[in-house]
Amino acid sequence: MTGRLKKGAAVCAEVPEGMKYFTVAAIEKTTAPDGGAGANWYRYVIDSDRSSVTGFTAGSLKEVKAHAERVADGLNARQRGAVVGWRAKKG
C-alpha cells in the first residue's frame, strides 16, 4: 500500500487511543439557563475541527472543568468506536 487514498475513497475519522479529537476550548461564568436554579453556572465549549458542543452546568470552576473534560473524553471514546452511556444530570 502506498499510503495514498484512491479518489472517492471513504475516510474513517478514527481517533487513536490517547489522541484528543475533542478538546475543551472555553469555560466562562454565566447566568443560570431557563429553568436552571442556583448560582455558579458556567458555559463550556468543546471543539473539534468539524464541530462544537456547548453545555451549561453549575458548580465550582474546578467541578465544571472536570465535567467538561469527561464529556470531551466521552466524545473521543465514541469517535474511537467505544460504547459510551449518556445520562442527563438530575438536579
Side-chain angles (χ1 to χ4, degrees), residues 13 17 32 53 55 81 85:
E17 187 69 36
V53 176

Side-chain angles (χ1 to χ4, degrees), residues 58-72:
S60 69
L61 179 58
K62 183 178 178 178
E63 292 168 334
V64 173
K65 182 178 179 187
H67 170 77
E69 288 173 350
R70 281 192 307 271
V71 172

Side-chain angles (χ1 to χ4, degrees), residues 31-32 36-41 58:
T31 58
N40 292 327
W41 280 87

